[in-house]
Amino acid sequence: MSITIVRPTDLGPAETERWRALQQADPALDNAFLSVEFALAMGRLRDYVRVAVIEDGGRIAGFFPYERHGFGVGKPLGGFLTTCHGLISVPELKLGARELLRACRLNVLEFDHMVAGQPTFAPHETDVRPAPVMDLTAGFDAYAEQVRANSPKNYKTVRYKHRKLGREHGDVRLEWASPDPALLRTLLAWKSRQYRSTGRVDRFAQPWIVRLTEEMHAAATPGFAGVLTMLYAGDVPVAGHFGLRTATSLVGWFPAYDPEYARYSPGIVHHLLMAEHAAGAGLHQVDMGKGGREYKDWLKSGVLLVAEGRIARPSATAMVHWIGRTPVSKARTIVTDRPELYRLADRVLKAAGRLRTGGRPPARSQKPVKP
């Protein structure tokens, strides 16, 4: 077995096709964040992105995309931006994690959204958690019936708000896979305001993340594409989402809504209509990603398993990294495991956001009229 480290842009047509073939052969890898197209885009925008190309018996047996930061600290590709990481390989690959780290010139690798159970990483998993999905394999009607049975009160309330939004602001409809860049900018503006008002770091204050999103929005192939959906009331956009899809699944990424319409729960109305359109487009699931949002619990009809863990080679860097990161990781786990703590943390962050903005409500957004 041999491992070669390259930049994503060094991969040739044969390597990218092999990557796609390996991903399509394993249902556990059916996530757009594991696609070669995402790795290529990240490689164009960030100098620290690398790919370990693993060969066994003269044939490529796997790929491991990752980020190499200072002092040999490794992070999964996309780090805080993504909700799925992993090794794209043949199922029978026998490769130790520390052997992989040595080849990648990494002292430590920490992960929190790894595909659970991969033989290379499984011995180093410290926790395995469910990521909620909207399972559409039996069609939208079957999915909606399960959601209704799981939480009839919530389902009835959202359907009522859907009708109320239509009565008071015009017919409600969802646009699927909009190519309009202006509409994408509207969604990102909502998301930026949401980050700031809730005390989170505004990801879109970083130009490279905006550019990545724009590049992914422009991607459109049968096996990989950016999907922008937008919910309208009349001709006014009120809620939307931008995510990535493979041929059979959509992964959630950036949902947001205009806070002026918050009383209608437009985000949840949007998610139900998005699921209906996804099923109509032939997709089998919508991966909402793990997290503490309550709406995911009753919109879900299945789960995927993702793993948390840490791999280290003996070094001073690994020790310093452990001292600095472990308390934070444990605190995050404690908070996300307990809804009452999650809600308290959310209130504290929102209060901090209001203080930063002087207590002023968000400025009214401009709403482009749909031609």
Side-chain angles (χ1 to χ4, degrees):
M1 185 178 296
S2 65
I3 302 175
T4 305
I5 308 304
V6 301
R7 296 177 184 272
T9 49
D10 294 330
L11 298 172
E15 288 83 8
T16 56
E17 284 307 309
R18 177 62 173 161
W19 186 315
R20 294 187 185 101
L22 290 170
Q23 184 183 18
Q24 292 167 9
D26 187 348
L29 302 178
D30 186 21
N31 186 294
F33 289 131
L34 301 178
S35 296
V36 67
E37 289 84 359
F38 184 74
L40 290 170
M42 284 291 296
R44 287 191 294 268
L45 294 172
R46 310 309 289 166
D47 289 339
Y48 47 66
V49 176
R50 299 290 186 273
V51 175
V53 182
I54 304 155
E55 294 186 70
D56 193 9
R59 179 172 172 77
I60 293 178
F63 299 90
F64 179 61
Y66 66 98
E67 299 178 3
R68 187 180 190 277
H69 295 266
F71 303 102
V73 173
K75 296 181 181 180
L77 182 67
F80 68 96
L81 274 180
T82 59
T83 58
C84 187
H85 317 130
L87 184 63
I88 300 91
S89 71
V90 295
E92 66 274 13
L93 182 68
K94 291 181 172 59
L95 175 62
R98 289 191 176 90
E99 179 184 352
L100 178 61
L101 259 63
R102 188 180 303 109
C104 295
R105 296 174 56 221
L106 298 178
N107 292 314
V108 61
L109 174 70
E110 189 176 64
F111 54 87
D112 59 3
H113 290 83
M114 191 73 72
V115 176
Q118 290 196 321
T120 296
F121 300 108
H124 304 276
E125 294 174 356
T126 57
D127 202 0
V128 175
R129 297 179 174 277
V133 300
M134 306 164 89
D135 185 351
L136 306 171
T137 51
F140 176 75
D141 290 342
Y143 161 75
E145 184 57 38
Q146 183 173 346
V147 171
R148 183 188 293 111
N150 290 344
S151 187
K153 182 177 179 181
N154 282 330
Y155 189 85
K156 181 178 180 181
T157 299
V158 170
R159 288 307 192 193
Y160 167 76
K161 290 184 176 182
H162 181 166
R163 294 190 296 271
K164 183 177 175 67
L165 176 62
R167 287 195 306 270
E168 297 182 357
H169 295 279
D171 290 342
V172 177
R173 60 185 175 84
L174 184 130
E175 182 178 6
W176 170 265
S178 170
D180 187 353
L183 210 55
L184 178 65
R185 289 193 292 272
T186 296
L187 177 69
L188 300 192
W190 290 341
K191 196 67 180 176
S192 285
R193 185 164 62 245
Q194 177 190 333
Y195 286 140
R196 295 192 301 270
S197 65
T198 57
R200 274 76 170 182
V201 174
D202 182 4
R203 297 177 180 180
F204 298 111
Q206 301 187 52
W208 77 267
I209 296 180
V210 175
R211 185 176 171 188
L212 173 67
T213 308
E214 292 171 344
E215 287 193 17
M216 295 295 88
H217 181 225
T221 69
F224 180 90
V227 179
L228 173 62
T229 53
M230 187 62 71
L231 182 73
Y232 287 87
D235 289 327
V236 177
V238 297
H241 172 265
F242 179 69
L244 304 178
R245 68 154 179 83
T246 64
T248 53
S249 70
L250 174 67
V251 60
W253 206 4
F254 298 119
Y257 60 87
D258 187 333
E260 293 183 15
Y261 295 87
R263 64 186 179 277
Y264 302 102
S265 299
I268 300 179
V269 172
H270 163 273
H271 263 59
L272 284 172
L273 291 178
M274 180 176 71
E276 184 175 11
H277 281 72
L283 301 183
H284 297 168
Q285 71 179 21
V286 178
D287 181 348
M288 294 184 286
K290 72 170 186 176
R293 295 298 180 183
E294 292 181 6
Y295 76 88
K296 295 180 182 181
D297 281 337
W298 71 268
L299 282 180
K300 74 180 181 183
S301 57
V303 298
L304 298 173
L305 298 179
V306 293
E308 301 175 5
R310 182 178 183 274
I311 311 159
R313 299 166 58 213
S315 68
T317 296
M319 178 60 70
V320 171
H321 182 269
W322 181 84
I323 292 171
R325 290 289 297 161
T326 297
V328 175
S329 299
K330 286 186 176 179
R332 185 187 299 114
T333 297
I334 290 170
V335 170
T336 55
D337 273 354
R338 293 165 173 78
E340 67 279 8
L341 290 181
Y342 184 91
R343 289 191 291 270
L344 176 61
D346 192 53
R347 288 198 298 270
V348 170
L349 286 171
K350 286 179 179 177
R354 287 193 296 271
L355 287 174
R356 284 208 301 266
T357 58
R360 297 186 301 274
R364 185 181 182 88
S365 60
Q366 291 187 334
K367 304 178 181 66
V369 175
K370 183 72 177 174

